[in-house]
Amino acid sequence: MRLTSYTDYTLRTLIYLGMNRDRLVTIQDIADNHLISKNHLMKVVYQLGTVDIVETIRGRNGGLRLKKDPSEINIGEIVRWTETDFHMAECFDRENNRCVLSPSCKLQGVLVAATRSFLNVLDAVTLDELLVLEKPGKKKLMPSPVRIYPSLKAKAKVDAV
């Protein structure tokens, strides 16, 4: 599963706004901080404004801020809203599916379950939880590295060690 740049920029924008709730933020601030095109961010911010997640204030001293509390912004909803589709393979697209295995293939069911699991994890997270970098006395939440194996043989070699 790979998120589009649009989703990535949307999540980065929300995190930046959540971490800077004490002030108005400009699109240029976000663009400079994340080395993202200001033009791309303008589209992201416009869309976030249309769904009442971000408030935009015009004028010389204007800027952006979250319109909702970070605890009310569900990451799974954001990803579903920003992603155009979750077609993991050709067989997910009934109109353009030319795979000869589709009538009897069980891979599609496995991929549907994997996508559902992916989204279920995101559904359990709010923006507020992403803003907590480290709390005293709590273990820092860092994801385990994901190993990418070019083949099952390579994985078997690593597992054998």
Side-chain angles (χ1 to χ4, degrees):
M1 170 59 71
R2 184 178 179 111
L3 298 176
T4 61
S5 295
Y6 187 82
T7 300
D8 181 29
Y9 297 167
T10 300
L11 294 172
R12 289 190 207 193
T13 297
L14 291 172
I15 291 168
Y16 192 87
L17 291 173
M19 293 176 77
N20 292 281
R21 295 200 70 203
D22 57 333
R23 66 184 183 93
L24 288 176
V25 171
T26 66
I27 292 174
Q28 191 66 56
D29 292 337
I30 301 167
D32 292 344
N33 187 266
H34 290 289
L35 303 175
I36 299 172
S37 160
K38 184 178 174 183
N39 289 336
H40 290 322
L41 285 176
M42 288 173 68
K43 295 172 191 173
V44 166
V45 169
Y46 173 77
Q47 290 298 319
L48 287 169
T50 64
V51 292
D52 286 335
I53 294 175
V54 168
E55 179 180 17
T56 58
I57 298 156
R58 294 181 173 260
R60 189 196 313 184
N61 296 318
L64 319 166
R65 64 179 164 218
L66 289 177
K67 196 169 187 178
K68 290 184 170 187
D69 189 88
S71 64
E72 297 173 5
I73 300 172
N74 182 276
I75 300 304
E77 287 178 20
I78 298 296
V79 169
R80 282 183 182 84
W81 173 69
T82 56
E83 287 296 316
T84 56
D85 67 56
F86 289 97
H87 292 170
M88 298 286 289
E90 180 181 314
C91 57
F92 282 65
D93 185 356
R94 292 182 185 187
E95 292 178 22
N96 298 311
N97 182 12
R98 286 176 262 145
C99 180
V100 296
L101 299 174
S102 289
S104 61
C105 182
K106 295 185 181 198
L107 179 61
Q108 185 178 18
V110 171
L111 293 175
V112 166
T115 302
R116 192 173 295 134
S117 294
F118 172 78
L119 291 170
N120 284 341
V121 169
L122 296 177
D123 286 339
V125 179
T126 63
L127 177 60
D128 191 45
E129 294 170 79
L130 298 180
L131 303 177
V132 179
L133 299 177
E134 190 172 351
K135 285 187 177 179
K138 285 204 170 190
K139 187 177 177 183
K140 192 173 181 179
L141 298 175
M142 292 296 291
S144 302
V146 176
R147 292 187 180 185
I148 306 298
Y149 301 101
S151 70
L152 292 177
K153 287 182 184 177
K155 182 185 181 322
K157 286 180 187 175
V158 171
D159 289 343
V161 173

